[in-house]
Amino acid sequence: MSLPLNYSYQQLCAKTEESLNSAVLKKDSVLQRGTEIIDGNKYTAVNIIDNWGVKFYIKDESGKIVYTYKDGGVVSFKFLDFNSDGYKDIVLELIAVDSGQQDLIIYDPKSKRFKLAGNCSNAREIPRTKYYYSYEDCCMGRNWSSNLFYIADSKIINIGHIKYRDGYGLSFFKLNGKKILLKNGTCA
């Protein structure tokens, strides 16, 4: 979004997000747009790029922005029912070198709102359980990590972590409010 030279930073910051919504979405380049019917309502997800970077929004059918992803760096997104509750959620593919980092936005039918659940990088459900595991890779398999988690109240709850570092081996951690090393292997 380009602003006239006499348009001060304070004027821009003083405006509310709602008043900027239509101006921002009209003048910026749309990278990706997708629409889904969720819980009987039509939602459109929009990934844009402007002078300040990449931004991701979700709009309702009236055009009002009902969710804004604050962290930026969204490469792409996809609608899917991640937690198998019958409602479409959104997985964001993030800008990260060689990791496939992803964040999960869950639709909460109780509050009828979208909520950031957390990191779900390449996550897969463990069949016949309530658990999922994620996988983040760096350096083409030489360094990787995986989280064991479940979803409660639209949040990812991490309960375990495995990390492999080339030359150092595997480390196992239990996550219970703090990180506790369970086992650390080393490579000879």
Side-chain angles (χ1 to χ4, degrees), residues 81-84 122-133:
D81 184 5
F82 187 89
N83 57 351
S84 303
N122 301 302
R124 301 287 182 261
E125 188 174 12
I126 299 173
R128 298 179 298 283
T129 73
K130 68 176 186 175
Y131 299 102
Y132 302 81
Y133 66 93

